[in-house]
Amino acid sequence: SPSCGDGRKRNVCYYYDSGIANVDYGAEHVMVPRRVAMTHALVASYGLLPHMTRLRTTPATEHDLRAFHDDGYVRLLRDISPDGYYRRHDNNIRARARACRVGVPDEDEEADGGHYDNPVIDGLWDYCLRYAGGSLAAARALAAGRSDIAINWSGGMHHACSGKASGFCYVNDIVLAIQHLLDTFARVLYVDIDVHHGDGVEEHFKGDERVMTVSFHRYDGDQYFFPGTGKAGDVGEGKGKYRTLNVPMKAGMDDASYLHSLFVPIMDTVMSRFQPDAVVLQCGADSLYGDRLGGFNLSVSGHAACVSYLRSCNVPLLLLGGGGYTVNHVASCWCYETAVAVGKEEEIPDDIPHHGYEHYYRDQGYKLHYPVPKKSSIKKEDIDKIKQDALANLRMLNE
Ligand code: ZLM
Ligand code: CA
Ligand code: ZN
């Protein structure tokens, strides 16, 4: 039976649905759900599946979504279809879609040549119900004590709001999963290592003392980087004050600055001050070096060290996907993090096995751990300032 670095075996549950992997945001769209099929194929080829319990579940229901989302928005997601939308005479659905930011270009997007962040795609409703169903099944496994770590790489859609889509996210499976965990666990910690700010989750829980949200993200100040929120000074409100923590960083973050100077000291303080009963980690892989959108320089092992850190805290852990736009990097990362979850990361070889998708890994020399730049562009003063801001906010927690 598998044991881990700390000698303690973890019971790991894993969700994968091939129905999600075939969803298509559009030929040139940067979001490619097939990266989850690539991750799964890699996980299987490394022999990791027998070390986990496969979570079989039914899709979420309309009722499940309404725990967070507005009725009108849920109905829109249910009723809209690519052909329905393009029936231009259906003015009503078109107006509703525009209000909910689904498929309709806003002014910026018109300027982008009519591309949308949140297109009306084939099978949209089924896709939403399935990825949300996976995160809910994972939360149920943790709440029932059936699992120590539960994984849904197709979840982690942190931008979706109660009444609108945002940043490729339609349904906020993270909010739904946290709401479910709160039935069992008194305090839930949410940690977000996607390169983008976890705005949808923060917004919903910013006044809730039971949930602490921590997002590490790129923030360029006046130089807009999506979604433009997540300043160090945004700390939550009311009973949730100081239970929102934002760690804004400039492009170019490398392993040493991210992990040793920020993530570890900040999370040590969060863990001892907040003392969560369960942790949800959004593992957006767009913070990796070479991502099409991100601009950070993390290695696969640096990114996975965040998973390792939270695993070693021995609190029920929900691992979710999120962003990640260079698909071979994403699959390498989430496969390696699956190995970390089951305590097998030291046993899996760096050479990517032949498994049908190996041609995708040519650019990285068919190695799981592809090289990242050694030289850092990050100034020590800048990192120290970010760390001091975060620790100052944390000192206010439980004062
Ligand atoms: N335009 N195609 C992260 C979500 C990031 C808003 C600028 C849309 C893109 C991007 C879409 C081909 C997560 C914005 C962008 C173009 C208004 C964003 C379609 C390229 C393409 O080539 C593209 C038809 C597309 C979208 C780039 N969009 C880059 N950045 C962000 C959203 C989601 O990783 O955090 C979690 C899953 N949107 O910057 C615009 C302002 C829309
Ligand atoms: Ca983030
Ligand atoms: Zn992202």
Side-chain angles (χ1 to χ4, degrees):
S1 73
S3 82
C4 340
D6 61 5
R8 215 175 137 271
K9 187 180 176 245
R10 306 303 198 286
N11 194 344
V12 181
C13 287
Y14 171 84
Y15 175 78
Y16 171 70
D17 182 340
S18 59
I20 290 170
N22 293 321
V23 170
D24 187 359
Y25 274 69
E28 290 163 78
H29 202 286
V30 289
M31 176 54 101
V32 178
R34 196 180 57 252
R35 69 212 170 114
V36 179
M38 292 170 60
T39 303
H40 181 72
L42 211 48
V43 164
S45 73
Y46 271 116
L48 296 171
L49 289 178
H51 300 290
M52 304 185 283
T53 305
R54 184 86 176 263
L55 277 174
R56 306 275 177 189
T57 188
T58 49
T61 62
E62 259 184 80
H63 175 81
D64 291 334
L65 302 195
R66 285 204 211 98
F68 170 56
H69 291 286
D70 302 343
D71 285 3
Y73 179 53
V74 170
R75 267 185 273 117
L76 176 81
L77 290 175
R78 187 193 64 196
D79 295 343
I80 203 162
S81 70
D83 15 338
Y85 164 60
Y86 286 112
R87 266 192 281 116
R88 292 295 167 139
H89 61 268
D90 193 346
N91 288 326
N92 191 33
I93 203 159
R94 199 177 148 74
R96 280 162 59 205
R98 178 177 289 278
C100 297
R101 310 196 55 81
V102 176
V104 180
D106 63 15
E107 280 164 29
D108 296 343
E109 286 167 290
E110 301 282 9
D112 279 351
H115 299 315
Y116 331 119
D117 275 349
N118 321 306
V120 179
I121 53 183
D122 265 337
L124 176 63
W125 178 235
D126 187 64
Y127 167 58
C128 292
L129 296 181
R130 283 176 191 271
Y131 76 73
S135 297
L136 284 169
R140 281 195 295 270
L142 295 170
R146 281 185 280 118
S147 169
D148 305 308
I149 304 179
I151 302 174
N152 174 19
W153 295 130
S154 61
M157 306 307 271
H158 58 179
H159 299 305
C161 301
S162 52
K164 68 179 178 65
S166 173
F168 323 148
C169 307
Y170 303 88
V171 163
N172 199 318
D173 60 297
I174 308 172
V175 170
L176 296 173
I178 293 173
Q179 285 175 329
H180 189 86
L181 292 171
L182 287 170
D183 291 342
T184 303
F185 302 107
R187 278 186 303 279
V188 176
L189 171 65
Y190 173 66
V191 184
D192 186 314
I193 60 171
D194 188 290
V195 75
H196 299 98
H197 176 224
D199 57 352
V201 184
E202 173 180 311
E203 173 67 23
H204 185 65
F205 292 114
K206 68 185 178 191
D208 192 328
E209 62 189 328
R210 302 168 302 169
V211 178
M212 175 152 190
T213 66
V214 182
S215 177
F216 297 83
H217 48 267
R218 177 168 164 191
Y219 183 82
D220 295 355
D222 341 326
Q223 293 287 92
Y224 178 83
F225 186 76
F226 188 87
T229 48
K231 305 191 292 296
D234 293 344
V235 295
E237 59 188 39
K239 290 198 153 138
K241 197 164 182 195
Y242 303 115
R243 290 169 187 225
T244 291
L245 184 67
N246 283 300
V247 187
M249 299 169 273
K250 291 280 185 279
M253 290 298 294
D254 54 69
D255 287 356
S257 313
Y258 191 98
L259 212 69
H260 302 116
S261 306
L262 296 173
F263 187 89
V264 170
I266 289 170
M267 291 315 302
D268 277 344
T269 314
V270 168
M271 292 307 293
S272 67
R273 293 225 159 202
F274 184 65
Q275 302 196 341
D277 304 298
V279 176
V280 177
L281 176 59
Q282 196 268 22
C283 301
D286 46 9
S287 40
L288 291 170
Y289 174 67
D291 187 79
R292 277 177 78 183
L293 300 187
F296 277 5
N297 291 352
L298 298 189
S299 71
V300 166
S301 60
H303 195 276
C306 301
V307 178
S308 228
Y309 174 95
L310 289 169
R311 179 184 187 271
S312 72
C313 297
N314 287 326
V315 173
L317 178 60
L318 176 51
L319 297 179
L320 300 171
Y325 305 100
T326 302
V327 290
N328 46 307
H329 294 174
V330 179
S332 302
C333 181
W334 290 346
C335 172
Y336 186 69
E337 290 175 343
T338 306
V340 167
V342 298
K344 294 281 173 197
E345 72 271 32
E346 280 165 18
E347 292 165 40
I348 62 169
D350 198 22
D351 289 307
I352 288 176
H354 295 286
H355 64 298
Y357 281 110
E358 62 273 3
H359 56 282
Y360 280 92
Y361 301 88
R362 202 190 127 148
D363 290 352
Q364 59 189 80
Y366 307 101
K367 303 284 188 200
L368 207 55
H369 297 278
Y370 63 87
V372 306
K374 279 213 164 61
K375 218 170 159 302
S376 173
S377 59
I378 306 290
K379 288 205 211 79
K380 190 179 173 301
E381 308 89 85
D382 293 348
I383 297 297
D384 282 343
K385 167 84 169 89
I386 298 167
K387 177 176 164 179
Q388 291 321 322
D389 284 351
L391 294 179
N393 286 334
L394 286 169
R395 273 195 291 277
M396 304 300 289
L397 179 61
N398 300 335
E399 275 306 306

